[in-house]
Each structure stands twice: as structure tokens, then as C-alpha cells.
Amino acid sequence: MFYQIFEALDKKFGVERAQAHCDIPCGIYDPITAQIAALSVVRMMDLMAEAEAKGHDNHLAFINSMARYIAVKEEHAEKAKHEVRVIWGDYIKPEHIAKHPELHELVFKIMKLGSKVRQTADRQTGLDFVEAVNKFAEIFWDTKGIAVKKAKAPYAPALEMVYPNL
Amino acid sequence: MLQLLKVTGESLSPLYKEGDFVVITTLPFFLRRLRQGNIIVFQHGLYGTLIKIVERVLLDEDAVYVIGANEDSLDSRRLGPISRAAIKGRVLWHIAKPTH
């Protein structure tokens, strides 16, 4: 009954529309967000190491900076995991798995490394995380039939990254 | 305080479908208490008036991340965080379109 009343109101006065919008024309997926997030994890590890090496006469300032680095590291580790999960869950199709049977294991590895980089400040773990996410990007672009190139990130830490060669 | 809107599009399907009506509250009292899972209507510069689900509330940024209910939904992966200032209201009442 209420529906009919509101429908009549809409016809008479014109009710504003709220769009439950879908992607146009289809999902847009790009692993670069995950790659940058993984890179940010290593950057935070580097900043933490630098701060520690400098010494900390002002203990309060040191703790404050360290807390901020750790918070960002936590956030970006989870962000990278989230972005990879979205592509894996929403975009990857059985035919992609058939061509890249290692993909499930790789995603599992990324999830584990993404958790491990939160637990540790060990740079090598961060590098492993970036490498795994880059491998994921390489496979993603292959599913699109797009060749990739490897180049150093144009910002610290200047690690080698995988980019689509457009 | 209250506003009636009609849903277009299918990004919230099967929860909310094309042609459904929603009544939203625009009272700040409700908008300050957004939680994960709330359905909100907000204004976007490019896409106009949108209706989405709150995925999480970003307290430090005074914003929310939004999602749809299906994989093709336009959401915060592309829209980014939605500032509270852009939020018009929160859905209080959903009136589904009769199926027959």
C-alpha cells in the first residue's frame, strides 16, 4: 500500500533519484594500489630504522614518530591485502587460474606476508611482500594481455616495480 | 528531516532494487552515529546522488568508505572516502517495489 502511495507522489511531484550506480561499463581493477601500499610498508620500515639509528634524546618525540610510522605500516599492509583480495575475488576467473595455477598460492602468500609485515620491522619481509604483490600484478596484466615493464619506483624506497607497458 | 527518494540502478541488488523507495533522515543526530552496514545517500560531484552501504567509518578523516551489494558496484575503490559533509541522509525506511 505504501509503495502505491509513494508511486503516486512520484508521478505527481517527481521524487529525487538515488542512484545505486554500477561501474561503467564494467569493473575497473588495477593492482597498482596494492603495489603502492606494499611499497609504503617498506618505506615505513625504513623510516623506523632511520629514526632508531639517529638516537632519541627526545623520547616523547621519538615514540610519537614511531607510533605514526607503525600506524601507517599497519594501514598499508591491510590495504594491500584488501586490494589483492578484491581483484582475486571479483575479477579473477577460472580461465585465469587455468593459465596461472600458482595464483591461489601466491594470493595466500601475500595474505601471510601482509600479516607478517605488521608483526615485524624486518625489511627483508617487506621486500618479500613487495615482490609477491609485484608478481601478482604481473599475472593480472597478463590476464589482460598487456605486457609489463619493470622500473624503479620514482620515490623512496626506489624498489623495482611492475608496471603495464602501455 | 525526512526525505523520500526512489532507487535507480542495481548496485545494491538484491537488497535494494530499481524502483524501490527509501525514506532517509537528514538529522545530524543520526548522521553522527553512522555504523558499518548503514545505508546512506550522499552527493558525489561526478555521479550525483548515490545510495550505498557504509563499509567502514574513518574516524580520523571524518569520512566513510562505501560499497555496493554486488561485484560491479561503483564504490570507494573508485569514489574514495566519502566525507561526512557530502552525506545527505541515512535510510530509515525501505519500501520495496512489489514483485507482482
Side-chain angles (χ1 to χ4, degrees), chain A residues 148-163:
Chain A
V148 295
K149 62 183 176 187
K150 292 183 179 177
K152 287 194 171 179
Y155 29 68
L159 302 180
E160 190 171 74
M161 304 293 280
V162 167
Y163 299 103

Side-chain angles (χ1 to χ4, degrees), chain A residues 19 21, chain B residues 42-50 74 78-79 81-83 85-88:
Chain A
Q19 301 174 67
H21 217 311
Chain B
F42 59 91
Q43 196 66 34
H44 188 271
L46 183 60
Y47 295 101
T49 305
L50 297 176
L74 179 70
R78 280 182 62 198
L79 300 173
I82 307 301
S83 74
I87 299 173
K88 295 178 72 169

Side-chain angles (χ1 to χ4, degrees), chain B residues 41-82:
Chain B
V41 172
F42 59 91
Q43 196 66 34
H44 188 271
L46 183 60
Y47 295 101
T49 305
L50 297 176
I51 180 167
K52 298 285 172 184
I53 305 166
V54 173
E55 182 192 35
R56 63 192 158 105
V57 178
L58 308 172
L59 294 174
D60 50 343
E61 292 180 38
D62 211 29
V64 298
Y65 266 107
V66 294
I67 53 171
N70 67 59
E71 68 179 47
D72 287 331
S73 173
L74 179 70
D75 57 26
S76 279
R77 285 174 292 172
R78 280 182 62 198
L79 300 173
I82 307 301

